[in-house]
Amino acid sequence: MSESDAVLIKPKDYKTSVKPIWCPGCGDFAVLSAITKALAWMKLAKEEVALISGIGCSSRLPAYVDSYGFHGIHGRVLPLAAGLKVVRPELTVIAAGGDGDGYSIGGNHFMHACRRNIDMTYIVMDNRVYGMTKGQASPTTAADWDKSKLTPHGTGVPPFQPLSIALAAGAGFIARGFSGDPNQMSKLIVEAIEYPGFALIEVLSPCPTFRPEQKEWKHQVRQAEDIPLHDPVQAAEWLAADDGMSSGLIYHRAHPVWQALHEVGSTLADIEQEFRI
Amino acid sequence: MTVPHIQSVEEFIVHAHALKCESEEQLEMCADSLRAHNNPEAATVFRTLSQMIGETIQELEAMAEGRELPQVPPWDFHWQLVDDPQCMDEVHYLINERKALELAQLNEQRALKYFQDTAEVVTDQAVKELAQRLHDHEQRFFQYIEQRLQQLEEDVAHHDDLDPPNMPE
Ligand SMILES: Cc1ncc(C[n+]2csc(CCOP(=O)(O)OP(=O)(O)O)c2C)c(N)n1
Ligand code: SF4
C-alpha cells in the first residue's frame, strides 16, 4: 500500500445490511469490527474474499460481512474452507466459528488443517461455552465450571489447549486476540491473511449471557512482549507456561503450503488418468 | 495521558475520522442488538446518538476531499492511548433509556478527551482549530444527553430479569 493515498478507510463499507442478532455486549461484535477493519485496511475487493463458518452464534459472521460467504454445518468449517481455497486459490479465505464448532465436533478437522497447511485464516471465537445452544460446557471450559445443568459438578475434564495442539500438529502461525481490543485484533488478522499457510487466531470473545464472569477478561488479558517465537520447542514451553490470557502473535514460522497437484479447471478424466493401471 | 504530536491537518482528519467511525459503530451495534432483543426505547437512544456522530463523520469526509491523506493502520491510532472505558460490554438487553444514555456518555469520553488534549498540545494552528471545533461538537453531544437525562424520570432501578438465560443449579 502506498504511504499516502487520497481516501479515508471505511470499515463500514464491508458490512452488509443484515443486522447482527448477537446479545448486547457479545464479544463477537468486536470480531466483526476487526475483520472489517482488516479488509478495509488491505483494500481487498469484496469478491476476492470468502468467509466460511460452521454453526454457533459466532458462526453467524458471514451474514454480516459484505464478501462471499457460506454458513456451513456444525464442525465442518475447515473442510469447506479448505475445499474452496484449493479450487479457488486466488481467493482470500477466512474460516470462522466458535470453540464448540472448531474444537469439539470439528476437532479432528482442526488438527489436520494445521498439519495440511492450506493458505487460509482461521478465527476461533473462544467463549469457553456453547452459546447458541444455551450455555453448555465446551472443550475449552474449565473442569470445575458448574453453571450448566448438563455438568452440575463441572466437566471434571482438563480443558483442551488449542494453541499447543495447533503447534504440535504443525501450524506455523498461532496468535491470540481479544475482543476488548479490536484494533490489535485487526492487526493479527492482516498478518494472518498475509501469512502463506494456515493461520490460527484464537480470540477471547466473551459470552456475557452464559459466562457473565468473562466481563472480567478486560482486566486479565495483557499483550505479551516476548513474542513472536520462531522455534517450536520454545513456543511449546511458552504456551505451557502461559495462563491463556496473553495476546499477540505467539508463533510464526514458514512451512510448505499444501496445493492441489492438478491445475484449476482439470477434468475428472484428467485426474482419473493418474489412477489407471 | 500524553497525546503524540499530530503533524498536519490531514493526519488529524484521518485520526478523528477513525475515532468517530469507531464511536458510531459501537452505538450502532448497541442499537441493532437492542432492536433485535425487543428493546426499542433503548435502541432508539443509541440510534439517535449514532446519527449525531454520523454528521461529524460526514463533515470530516467533506474536509478530506481533494487532500492527500496519510494511511494510518487501525492499530496505530493515537487515541487508543486514552483509557478506553469499554462500556459497551455493560449493555444489557433490559437496559432503560437512562442507562443507555449514560453508557453512550461513557463511550464518548474518549473522543472528548482526545480532542481536548490535542487542542491543548498541538502547535499547528489549523490542527488546533479543528481539534477545538470537534471538541465543541463533543460538548454539544454531551449537552444533548444531559438534557435528555433531565427529561427522564428518576432512575427506575435496572429491571429484574424474570427469565434469566442461565439458571445455576
Ligand atoms: C451436527 C450438529 N450437532 C449439534 C448441533 C447443535 N449445536 C448448534 S451450535 C452448537 C455449539 C455452538 O458452540 P460454539 O461453536 O462454541 O459457538 P458459540 O455459539 O458459542 O459462538 C451446537 C452443539 C448442530 N447444530 N449440529
Ligand atoms: S449467547 Fe453468548 S455467544 Fe451467543 S450471542 Fe449471546 S453473548 Fe454472544
Side-chain angles (χ1 to χ4, degrees):
Chain A
M1 185 176 301
S2 66
E3 275 295 292
S4 173
D5 204 321
V7 288
L8 286 164
I9 296 170
K10 295 185 202 157
K12 205 178 168 182
D13 291 348
Y14 285 84
K15 282 193 184 169
T16 63
S17 57
V18 182
K19 302 296 181 196
I21 57 157
W22 292 314
C23 308
C26 177
D28 297 347
F29 279 107
V31 180
L32 170 62
S33 168
I35 290 175
T36 56
K37 282 178 176 167
L39 299 180
W41 169 247
M42 296 179 84
K43 297 197 169 83
L44 288 175
K46 294 172 181 181
E47 66 277 10
E48 285 169 5
V49 179
L51 194 57
I52 314 297
S53 70
I55 293 290
C57 301
S58 39
S59 290
R60 302 187 68 90
L61 250 169
Y64 311 138
V65 178
D66 196 7
S67 65
Y68 282 122
F70 191 83
H71 191 173
I73 51 171
H74 196 33
R76 309 298 172 221
V77 54
L78 288 173
L80 286 166
L84 177 63
K85 182 67 190 183
V86 168
V87 295
R88 293 289 305 274
E90 77 284 8
L91 290 179
T92 295
V93 175
I94 303 173
D99 42 306
D101 191 73
Y103 306 146
S104 198
I105 187 169
N108 199 16
H109 297 302
F110 173 61
M111 284 188 297
H112 294 288
C114 294
R115 176 169 93 84
R116 192 166 291 119
N117 202 33
I118 290 174
D119 184 14
M120 60 189 189
T121 298
Y122 182 31
I123 301 172
V124 184
M125 285 152 267
D126 191 353
N127 51 19
R128 302 176 184 175
V129 77
Y130 291 176
M132 179 167 266
T133 48
K134 293 192 163 285
Q136 300 80 19
S138 87
T140 49
T141 305
D144 59 355
W145 185 70
D146 57 5
K147 300 288 187 286
S148 163
K149 285 181 182 170
L150 273 187
T151 48
H153 310 294
T155 63
V157 183
F160 187 81
Q161 302 295 332
L163 304 194
S164 296
I165 288 163
L167 180 72
F173 183 108
I174 299 174
R176 187 183 287 119
F178 173 46
S179 282
D181 193 350
N183 290 313
Q184 176 61 21
M185 201 197 311
S186 70
K187 181 171 195 245
L188 295 175
I189 296 171
V190 170
E191 289 169 335
I193 291 173
E194 286 171 350
Y195 174 78
F198 181 79
L200 170 69
I201 307 176
E202 151 100 353
V203 178
L204 296 169
S205 180
C207 170
T209 300
F210 295 108
R211 303 290 313 258
E213 71 281 13
Q214 290 174 348
K215 286 185 186 173
E216 287 308 305
W217 280 355
K218 61 174 175 274
H219 304 300
Q220 294 159 2
V221 178
R222 62 198 163 271
Q223 268 182 44
E225 282 169 4
D226 50 349
I227 52 173
L229 300 163
H230 306 285
D231 175 73
V233 177
Q234 279 178 4
E237 283 172 1
W238 190 97
L239 286 167
D242 183 51
D243 63 356
M245 289 290 149
S246 307
S247 69
L249 173 55
I250 296 166
Y251 178 65
H252 190 282
R253 190 183 171 102
H255 289 299
V257 178
W258 194 91
Q259 277 165 330
L261 289 175
H262 292 273
E263 296 279 309
V264 173
S266 304
T267 64
L268 192 58
D270 298 334
I271 297 169
E272 276 177 353
Q273 193 68 34
E274 278 186 27
F275 295 96
R276 277 220 180 108
I277 0 175
Chain B
M1 185 215 40
T2 1
V3 233
H5 262 274
I6 287 278
Q7 305 294 341
S8 65
V9 173
E10 284 75 13
E11 192 190 356
F12 188 55
I13 290 174
V14 170
H15 274 75
H17 180 262
L19 172 54
K20 298 310 293 180
C21 285
E22 199 159 289
S23 297
E24 183 196 39
E25 180 184 41
Q26 297 231 8
L27 297 177
E28 267 180 10
M29 281 175 172
C30 291
D32 293 343
S33 180
L34 289 163
R35 176 94 238 157
H37 289 79
N38 203 20
N39 185 340
E41 295 84 9
T44 306
V45 169
F46 284 119
R47 186 81 64 211
T48 310
L49 295 173
S50 81
Q51 281 161 357
M52 285 176 75
I53 290 181
E55 287 164 20
T56 310
I57 293 173
Q58 276 176 8
E59 193 179 322
L60 286 164
E61 287 175 1
M63 284 186 75
E65 295 258 321
R67 289 178 193 257
E68 197 67 2
L69 301 171
Q71 296 287 284
V72 184
W75 48 92
D76 274 350
F77 288 116
H78 298 166
W79 39 261
Q80 287 170 89
L81 300 176
V82 184
D83 274 346
D84 183 356
Q86 297 200 351
C87 59
M88 286 306 153
D89 56 4
E90 296 303 323
V91 181
H92 184 270
Y93 78 104
L94 289 175
I95 60 169
N96 55 25
E97 287 172 271
R98 172 173 291 276
K99 184 77 183 166
L101 286 161
E102 286 168 356
L103 285 173
Q105 215 170 22
L106 200 60
N107 193 53
E108 213 44 31
Q109 293 287 351
R110 183 174 64 166
L112 182 75
K113 182 139 179 48
Y114 176 66
F115 295 140
Q116 183 176 18
D117 289 0
T118 305
E120 274 167 22
V121 302
V122 286
T123 43
D124 184 302
Q125 199 50 36
V127 177
K128 201 182 259 303
E129 277 167 22
L130 180 55
Q132 191 55 56
R133 193 153 96 232
L134 291 169
H135 183 248
D136 294 345
H137 278 215
E138 291 300 328
Q139 282 186 319
R140 283 203 291 280
F141 182 89
F142 279 86
Q143 277 161 9
Y144 171 81
I145 292 182
E146 276 305 326
Q147 278 168 7
R148 288 286 317 269
L149 283 169
Q150 278 165 16
Q151 287 158 4
L152 291 172
E153 285 168 28
E154 266 316 288
D155 198 7
V156 227
H158 212 74
H159 298 279
D160 275 339
D161 191 348
L162 300 175
D163 180 21
N166 194 7
M167 296 287 287
E169 288 298 288

